[in-house]
């Protein structure tokens, strides 16, 4: 077979695939090279160098090779790419390949090596080749020679669906099941051991175990065993929580239930998990609310009303129309699931609130249970609900701020660690009597202690703390990796209606009817009958058991005219003074944001006759309806423009008498016919009051160095008015890009009294003096004909009006392409594309589904409390075990200890705290259906845009916390590298008591450092967007030099005051005995760690200052005071207990002076760096 390219992206989930065959185990990359290496080692040790002469070196070499082999083997677990490289060969023939390596698109989970499945036909020929990745199946296309996702029947014409008669024989059903799979949303919950092994082979865990083994070799076995037990208990707790989460997710799948399906020319009852695309199903309202629509279906016969809150979060039920009611000229259109066809689609996971049985028509299917008839389009994990579940299941699990930067940071620290290890080895080997094994161990320990093992966990805690805080504030997140992006946002884009303004519109009245005074707004009760009938019929409202349901704008209008809508779509005036017959809606053409209008056909019975007379009523954007009127009143444009300038929402109303028609004639009417020769029925004037906190939130966002942009489908003048009221900018002049005669585009002022050319001569001056507004058609014109100017002007435009959903998406992707970090805030229905493409997309749910009952909440709280107590007990048991055995170790007080013990002690307290935190956060990370929205990564359960401030605050706090952790860990690591190499060779040691005390005092400080909360208000300052920047590198290096010189100076001063040594090399095996050098180094190493935390804690303007973070402040003051008392000798007994010698007054003053100078200098250096380099800049001028 010819070679084929299978590496191309398959869809939005899979970026590329490669084909592989496994190698025999012997030739795997982690076995064959090492067999050779072991042979070389044995030969060299035994025959070249000699076992007796180089015994230690031989064992060290063996340990080194063994360690590298273990790491290489483990890297096969850590990386699919390494595993493929070491254990497989690459092939280009899918018919011979055994495995396929699948690389998903960014942020869609991890790469996997999955098995290729093959099936043969009756003659033994290969019929199908496929693989399954993240519950999605990809088939090999033998003609096009590539893998393809399942081709669901979602692109046929409406007529094809209407003509379909279901599967006629068993072989068709079997083939469909093979092609599409069954409708199963089955999630397998793994075994405890499987998950535990996955965690136990994670780099963090392996690194900790490796450190434990090294400490065991160096006589720290007691601490090591305790830390290991703690780690295992910690991982077990996390696995338990993960299992609980997984079983929660499992419950989210639909429960199978019996449904009526038309197969083999008859209706039969089958389980809903057996459905395949192409099945004809009867769907109806169920008395059991837990029975949801089993998969995505197209409604063929009978209308439905559906609650989509589990999918979109919006609780306003949606009306679904069957395609049998479509006019004949539209049945040849193809299905478009993303846009206009959504009106006819029942999405899996939604609930049918009401259905109307289809009318009996000869030759048409009629279900036995009176349900609506629907065609199955997609099943299983390919449905909208399945995709949302996939996001929850396979989205990014452990989150860090930036993996690449973290890796760079570790390399930066490793460079210093290698220098320190090299120095220790070179200097240490100068003493011929020194134990080389001990020296090698010491060098290895430097490398392990300089790379902070808690780094990955600290980083994910930074993000997860924000996740928990947001959940408490009613903001749910399905993609936590986006939280740090929120700290970098430059462009905040808002939808207008329902986001900045209220949905509860106020009907002001009707304008444009009085020829003498066109701008006069008439009360709704004083308008002509035609206008009343247009308002009464032209809407998408429906009457359910719980009352009127639908768009708040239309509800407000119907209430204002005082008409009643019945369950059978009849409209009756309540007032006796209105002389109108009851009207019944016969046909609806629902509002479409691309068409900017809706139309309705309604009929009424003529008194004394059986015939029905029909009227067509239309409402929509004034500029859209203008060409549809038979005669346009004078000053038509002036009226609606004047009203729009005042900030009102204006809809034009049109009316047409169709006369007496048969039912068939109404059905065959084309929409174009209805929407022509209309009579003008006035302008409906609605005022959209702003949400009460919109103004204060926008003020806060603007003043915190963000650019605010409005992207709306509404009229440009109304949008400009809202932007002016909300004070998006301080500029006075507003220009709208307008099309004048001969398709000529210019910039026009709001009151149309001045014009400027489309492409100005001085762009900088033009953008700094004017607020720019552009409409949908203008956007298309610029994008297609002036693309260079389009990208230059785009970041300066503040208002995008009359844009459709696809254009909203284009605006966001264009801004992203220019390198801006974008936030989009919309209502999650027609803003889906833009919300998905923005770095941070927040869906504001303006109509909230019912919240969980109090009992459920209290039940969750008690459950949480039980888990915490159980955890606390576990850690208490571990601690008591530590306490019982701690004192009975023979010779424990004789063991020479160094700063590493302080890390061990700190790690123990930290790990206990982390256990609790991580478990709480694993629980918070689980986003349930109904909380999450398919619309956006963030879903806010508050209808206010206040949640945007919460998201930005938490994002900034996460960024700053990460930066501060990196600085503190880097400084500690560098000081540690110095003290473990140079000072170790000087014979500096700490006693057991000293190390324990240091660990306990500093552990408290470390616990409180990452618990800071963001401030109540956003700051004008912007945080630095990443870890590697001039400020971080400079401040870390300069502070290190300050600490380094303090250390060197004090070591030198104390060494001068010590009696001279007998031998040139200190005895490193000697027992600990207090002396001036040991005491000095102990005090300064503690003081340095306190000053590092105090100096590098960021505080204002992004999070609580040290004064407000009381716990951290008190622990720092406490530790600092204790160090000071040790220096000044206030409590001689304590100094004696902890092995601190008594200092003479002159040295005491020198020590205290140096410590104070070190702290002040470090503080000054950091603040100077912060002043010069420490602030992020907005790339486009703020105004």
């Amino acid at each position: 077979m010819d070679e084929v390219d299978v590496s191309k992206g398959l869809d939005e989930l899979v970026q590329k695939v490669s084909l592989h065959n496994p190698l025999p185990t012997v030739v795997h990359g982690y076995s064959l090279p090492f067999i050779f290496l072991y042979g070389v080692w044995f030969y060299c040790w035994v025959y070249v160098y000699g076992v007796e002469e180089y015994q230690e070196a031989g064992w060290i070499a063996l340990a080194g090779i063994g360690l590298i082999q273990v790491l290489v083997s483990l890297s096969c677990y850590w990386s699919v790419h390494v595993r493929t490289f070491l254990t497989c060969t690459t092939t280009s023939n899918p018919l011979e390949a055994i495995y396929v390596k699948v690389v998903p698109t960014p942020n869609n989970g991890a790469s996997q090596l999955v098995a290729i499945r093959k099936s043969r036909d009756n003659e033994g020929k290969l019929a199908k080749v496929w693989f399954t990745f993240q519950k999605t199946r990809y088939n090999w296309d033998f003609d096009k020679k590539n893998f393809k996702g399942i081709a669901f029947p979602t692109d046929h014409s409406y007529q094809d669906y209407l003509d379909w008669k279901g599967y006629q024989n068993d072989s068709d059903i079997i083939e469909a099941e093979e092609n599409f799979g069954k409708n199963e949303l089955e999630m397998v919950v793994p075994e405890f051991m499987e998950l535990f092994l996955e965690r136990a082979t994670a780099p963090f865990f392996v690194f900790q175990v490796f450190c434990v083994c090294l400490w065991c070799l160096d006589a720290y076995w007691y601490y090591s065993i305790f830390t290991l037990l703690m780690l295992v208990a910690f991982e077990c707790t996390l696995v338990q929580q993960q299992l609980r989460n997984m079983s929660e997710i499992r419950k989210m799948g639909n429960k199978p239930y019996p449904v009526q399906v038309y197969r083999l020319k008859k209706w039969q009852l089958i389980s809903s998990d057996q459905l395949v695309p192409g099945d004809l199903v009867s769907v109806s309202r169920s008395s059991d609310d837990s029975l949801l629509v089993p998969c995505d279906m197209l409604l063929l016969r009978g209308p439905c009303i559906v609650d989509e809150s589990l999918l979109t979060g919006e609780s306003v039920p949606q009306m679904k129309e069957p395609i049998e009611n479509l006019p004949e000229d539209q049945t040849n259109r193809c299905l478009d699931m993303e846009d206009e066809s959504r009106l006819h689609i029942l999405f899996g996971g939604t609930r049918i609130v009401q259905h109307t049985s289809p009318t009996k028509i000869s030759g048409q299917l009629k279900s036995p249970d009176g349900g609506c008839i629907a065609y199955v389009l997609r099943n299983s994990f390919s449905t909208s609900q399945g995709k949302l579940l996939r996001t929850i299941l396979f989205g990014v699990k452990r989150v860090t701020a930036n993996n690449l930067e973290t890796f760079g940071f570790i390399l930066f620290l490793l460079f210093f660690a290698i220098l320190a290890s090299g120095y220790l080895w070179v200097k240490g080997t100068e003493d011929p009597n020194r134990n080389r094994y001990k020296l090698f161990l010491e060098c290895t320990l430097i490398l392990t202690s300089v790379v902070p093992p808690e780094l990955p966990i600290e980083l994910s805690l930074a993000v997860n703390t924000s996740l928990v805080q947001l959940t408490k504030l009613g903001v749910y997140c399905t993609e936590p990796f986006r939280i740090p992006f929120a700290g970098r946002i430059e462009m905040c884009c808002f939808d207008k209606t329902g986001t900045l303004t209220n949905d509860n519109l106020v009907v002001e009245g009707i304008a444009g009817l009085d020829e003498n005074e066109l701008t006069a707004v008439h009360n709704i009760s004083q308008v002509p009958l035609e206008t009343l009938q247009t308002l009464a019929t032209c809407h998408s409202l429906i009457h359910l058991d719980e009352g009127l349901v639908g768009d708040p704008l239309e509800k407000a209008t119907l209430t204002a005219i005082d008409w009643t809508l019945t369950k059978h779509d009849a409209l009756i005036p309540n007032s006796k003074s209105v002389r109108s017959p009851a009207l019944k809606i016969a046909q609806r053409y629902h509002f479409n944001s691309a068409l900017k209008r809706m139309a309705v056909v309604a009929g009424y019975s003529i008194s004394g006759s059986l015939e029905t007379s029909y009227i067509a009523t239309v409402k929509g954007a004034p500029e859209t309806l203008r060409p549809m009127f038979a005669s346009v009143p004078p000053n038509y444009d002036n009226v609606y423009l004047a009203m729009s300038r005042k900030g009102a929402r204006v809809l034009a109303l049109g009316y047409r008498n169709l006369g007496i028609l048969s039912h068939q004639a109404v059905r065959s009417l084309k929409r174009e016919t209805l929407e022509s020769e209309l009579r003008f029925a006035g302008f409906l004037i609605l005022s959209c009051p702003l949400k009460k906190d919109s103004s204060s939130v926008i003020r806060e966002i603007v003043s915190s160095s963000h650019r605010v942009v409005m992207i709306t489908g509404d009229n440009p003048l109304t949008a400009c008015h809202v932007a002016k009221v909300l004070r998006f900018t301080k500029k006075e002049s507003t220009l709208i890009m307008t099309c004048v005669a001969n398709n000529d585009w210019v910039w026009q002022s709001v009151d149309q009294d001045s014009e400027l050319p489309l492409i100005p001569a001085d762009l900088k001056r033009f953008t700094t003096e004017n607020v720019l507004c552009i409409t949908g058609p203008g956007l298309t014109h610029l994008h297609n004909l002036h693309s260079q100017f389009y990208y230059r002007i785009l970041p300066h435009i503040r208002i995008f009006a009359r844009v459709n959903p696809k254009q909203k998406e284009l605006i966001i992707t264009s801004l992203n392409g220019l390198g801006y970090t974008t936030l989009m805030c919309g209502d999650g229905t027609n803003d889906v594309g833009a919300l998905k493409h923005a770095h941070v997309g927040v869906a504001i749910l303006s109509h909230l589904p019912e919240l969980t009952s109090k009992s459920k909440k209290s039940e969750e709280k008690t459950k949480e409390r039980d888990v915490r107590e159980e955890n606390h007990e576990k850690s208490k048991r571990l601690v008591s075990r530590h306490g019982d055995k701690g004192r009975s170790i023979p010779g424990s007080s004789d063991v020479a200890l160094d700063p590493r013990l302080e890390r061990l002690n700190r790690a123990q307290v930290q790990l206990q705290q982390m256990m609790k935190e991580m478990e709480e956060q694993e629980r918070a990370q689980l986003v349930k259906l109904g909380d999450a929205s398919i619309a956006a990564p963030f879903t806010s359960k508050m209808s206010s845009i206040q949640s945007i401030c919460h998201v930005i605050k938490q994002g900034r706090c996460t960024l700053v916390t990460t930066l501060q952790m990196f600085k503190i860990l880097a400084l500690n690591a560098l000081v540690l590298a110095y003290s473990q190499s140079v000072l170790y060779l000087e014979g500096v040691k700490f006693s057991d008591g000293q190390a324990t005390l240091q660990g306990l005092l500093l552990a408290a400080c470390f616990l409180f450092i990452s618990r800071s909360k963001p401030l109540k208000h956003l700051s004008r300052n912007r945080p630095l967007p990443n870890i590697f920047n001039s400020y971080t590198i400079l401040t870390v290096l300069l502070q290190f030099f300050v600490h380094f010189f303090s250390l060197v100076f004090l070591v030198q001063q104390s060494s001068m005051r010590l009696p001279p040594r007998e031998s040139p090399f200190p005895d490193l095996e000697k027992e600990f005995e207090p002396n001036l050098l040991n005491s000095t180094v102990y005090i300064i190493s503690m003081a340095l760690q306190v000053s590092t935390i105090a100096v590098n804690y960021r505080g204002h303007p992004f999070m609580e200052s040290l004064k407000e973070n009381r716990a951290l402040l008190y622990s720092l003051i406490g530790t600092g005071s204790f160090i000071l008392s040790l220096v000044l000798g206030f409590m001689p007994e304590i100094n004696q207990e902890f092995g601190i010698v008594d200092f003479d007054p002159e040295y005491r003053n020198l020590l205290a002076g140096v410590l104070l100078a070190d702290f002040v200098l470090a503080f000054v250096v950091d603040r100077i760096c912060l002043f010069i380099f420490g602030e992020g800049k907005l790339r486009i001028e703020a105004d």
Side-chain angles (χ1 to χ4, degrees), residues 334-346:
C334 286
L335 184 74
D336 177 6
M337 292 193 73
E338 297 306 314
D339 194 15
E340 55 181 38
S341 301
R342 294 176 75 86
L343 175 66
H344 312 295
I345 291 171
L346 302 176

Side-chain angles (χ1 to χ4, degrees), residues 905-1113:
N905 282 320
R906 195 176 77 224
Q908 287 164 10
V909 185
Q910 246 180 314
L911 277 169
Q912 285 183 36
Q913 183 66 16
M914 283 179 184
M915 274 179 172
K916 285 184 189 175
E917 286 226 349
M918 289 290 277
E919 195 188 5
E920 186 183 318
Q921 292 176 352
E922 284 272 341
R923 190 182 295 114
Q925 272 186 21
L926 176 67
V927 180
K928 297 191 172 71
L929 289 180
D931 287 345
S933 158
I934 49 170
F938 292 85
T939 309
S940 167
K941 286 297 178 85
M942 297 186 290
S943 64
S944 142
I945 57 168
Q946 186 65 50
S947 54
I948 299 299
C949 290
H950 294 320
V951 171
I952 295 175
K953 278 176 210 161
Q954 293 297 347
R956 285 184 168 189
C957 195
T958 303
L959 263 188
V960 174
T961 306
T962 308
L963 196 62
Q964 147 186 309
M965 276 178 192
F966 273 114
K967 280 165 34 191
I968 292 167
L969 291 169
L971 278 165
N972 283 345
L974 293 178
V975 171
L976 199 69
Y978 172 74
S979 58
Q980 278 192 308
S981 53
V982 180
L983 301 181
Y984 174 76
L985 289 173
E986 293 294 324
V988 174
K989 293 168 182 164
F990 295 166
S991 72
D992 193 356
Q994 282 179 344
T996 309
L997 178 73
Q998 187 176 10
L1000 290 173
L1001 287 175
L1002 289 166
C1005 300
F1006 255 86
L1007 288 185
F1008 302 126
I1009 196 158
S1010 60
R1011 311 290 171 270
S1012 281
K1013 296 183 182 74
L1015 293 178
K1016 295 256 185 312
H1017 292 285
L1018 283 167
S1019 152
R1020 180 159 193 80
N1021 303 40
R1022 294 178 62 82
L1024 291 162
N1026 41 28
I1027 299 155
F1028 275 104
N1029 49 62
S1030 318
Y1031 164 65
T1032 313
I1033 304 283
L1034 264 177
T1035 187
V1036 166
L1037 290 176
L1038 290 173
Q1039 282 185 65
F1040 172 63
F1041 287 130
V1042 169
H1043 298 329
F1044 178 73
F1045 288 125
S1046 307
L1047 253 173
V1048 170
F1049 176 71
L1050 283 174
V1051 167
Q1052 201 180 0
Q1053 290 298 316
S1054 55
S1055 300
M1056 280 161 52
R1057 289 169 168 77
L1058 281 176
R1061 274 202 300 255
E1062 292 158 16
S1063 73
F1065 302 106
D1067 179 9
L1068 300 183
E1069 304 298 320
K1070 200 173 67 170
E1071 287 178 13
F1072 169 81
E1073 55 183 53
N1075 65 21
L1076 189 64
L1077 180 61
N1078 284 345
S1079 301
T1080 304
V1081 172
Y1082 176 64
I1083 283 172
I1084 193 169
S1085 67
M1086 265 176 83
L1088 288 189
Q1089 292 201 306
V1090 171
S1091 94
T1092 299
I1093 292 174
V1095 168
N1096 292 290
Y1097 180 79
R1098 184 73 164 99
H1100 284 200
F1102 305 115
M1103 52 197 200
E1104 293 173 327
S1105 65
L1106 255 181
K1107 280 183 197 166
E1108 292 155 333
N1109 190 344
R1110 293 287 170 79
L1112 179 61
L1113 181 68

Side-chain angles (χ1 to χ4, degrees), residues 10 30 60 68 105 281 317 350 510 526 543 606 610 631 661 681 776 793 891 926 999 1087 1098 1105 1108:
L10 305 186
Y30 52 76
I60 286 171
I68 293 167
T105 47
V281 185
T350 58
I510 303 291
Q526 301 163 355
H543 198 291
I606 302 164
L610 294 172
S631 67
L661 295 170
I793 196 79
L926 176 67
R1098 184 73 164 99
S1105 65
E1108 292 155 333

Side-chain angles (χ1 to χ4, degrees), residues 641-715:
L641 291 173
M643 289 299 174
S644 298
R645 278 187 204 111
K646 293 179 186 171
R649 185 160 180 193
V650 183
L651 291 173
L653 305 174
Y655 176 96
R656 184 178 174 187
N657 222 324
L658 299 173
I660 296 166
L661 295 170
S662 66
H663 182 67
Q664 195 55 41
V666 171
R667 287 205 37 147
S668 60
L669 275 172
K670 293 187 175 179
R671 186 168 184 174
E672 292 78 52
T673 313
L674 299 177
E675 294 174 343
S676 62
E677 299 298 312
L678 296 172
R679 277 163 55 198
F680 177 65
F683 292 114
L684 175 63
I685 309 295
L686 301 135
S687 62
C688 342
L690 291 170
K691 288 183 179 171
K692 58 178 182 290
D693 57 357
S694 285
S695 187
S696 59
V697 172
I698 293 293
R699 193 183 317 120
E700 188 173 349
I701 292 172
V702 171
S703 64
S704 57
S705 304
H706 295 96
R707 274 180 83 82
V708 178
V709 176
M710 188 195 299
I711 307 179
T712 177
D714 209 344
N715 184 294

Side-chain angles (χ1 to χ4, degrees), residues 366-510:
K366 180 87 171 69
S367 61
D369 58 359
C372 302
I373 292 168
Y375 175 102
V376 176
L377 291 169
R378 300 184 296 203
N379 63 355
S380 188
F381 280 90
S382 298
T383 62
S384 294
Q385 182 194 22
K387 284 177 184 165
L388 182 59
L389 279 175
R390 274 214 315 256
T391 307
I392 295 172
L393 261 179
F394 300 108
V396 176
K397 288 280 185 263
R398 278 269 174 93
V399 190
T400 59
N402 186 328
N403 288 323
L404 196 66
E405 291 200 333
T406 310
F407 184 67
F409 170 77
I410 288 173
L411 285 181
F412 169 72
L413 291 186
L414 214 52
F415 169 73
F416 288 96
I418 291 166
L419 282 182
S421 289
Y423 176 84
L424 180 63
W425 183 260
V426 171
K427 287 288 180 190
T429 48
E430 287 175 4
D431 180 0
N433 304 321
R434 189 162 285 156
N435 185 327
R436 298 287 191 276
Y437 163 70
K438 281 271 187 196
L439 200 60
F440 175 75
L441 203 58
E442 197 60 41
C443 290
T444 323
L445 279 165
I446 289 180
L447 291 178
T448 59
S449 59
V450 164
V451 178
E454 62 268 32
L455 184 68
I457 229 171
E458 288 280 13
L459 287 180
S460 51
L461 279 185
V463 175
N464 290 343
T465 307
S466 293
L467 202 62
V468 175
Q469 291 300 324
L470 285 174
T471 308
K472 286 176 184 166
L473 293 164
V475 180
Y476 296 88
C477 176
T478 49
E479 298 173 10
F481 68 88
R482 292 185 186 270
I483 289 177
F485 279 117
R488 304 187 189 119
I489 286 164
E490 292 162 292
M491 297 279 188
C492 292
C493 308
F494 291 91
D495 178 33
K496 183 180 78 73
T497 315
T499 304
L500 296 172
T501 61
N502 252 323
D503 266 350
N504 305 325
L505 302 170
V506 179
V507 179
E508 301 286 343
I510 303 291

Side-chain angles (χ1 to χ4, degrees), residues 602-622:
Y604 58 91
S605 303
I606 302 164
S607 55
S609 160
L610 294 172
E611 289 170 320
T612 309
S613 182
Y614 289 93
I615 57 167
T617 58
V618 183
K619 73 173 178 196

Side-chain angles (χ1 to χ4, degrees), residues 16-65:
K16 61 177 182 180
V17 296
S18 54
L19 304 167
H20 301 277
N21 283 322
L23 288 164
T25 311
V26 174
V27 277
H28 281 183
Y30 52 76
S31 44
L32 188 65
F34 289 95
I35 294 170
F36 173 72
L37 273 175
Y38 286 124
V40 170
W41 163 79
F42 185 77
Y43 175 78
C44 290
W45 196 33
V46 175
Y47 298 109
V48 179
Y49 295 105
V51 176
E52 290 301 319
E53 295 86 341
Y54 289 92
Q55 191 168 8
E56 283 179 351
W59 290 119
I60 286 171
L62 179 64
I65 297 170

Side-chain angles (χ1 to χ4, degrees), residues 765-800:
R765 189 176 161 200
F766 176 71
T767 53
T768 45
E769 289 178 358
N770 304 296
V771 180
L772 303 180
C773 168
I774 189 170
T775 58
L779 187 79
T780 309
H781 175 79
L782 277 188
H783 186 252
N784 295 343
L785 300 176
H786 305 279
S787 62
Q788 212 173 350
F789 178 65
Y790 166 78
Y791 284 108
R792 284 175 64 206
I793 196 79
L794 190 75
H796 301 280
I797 295 168
R798 287 308 185 94
I799 302 144
F800 296 89

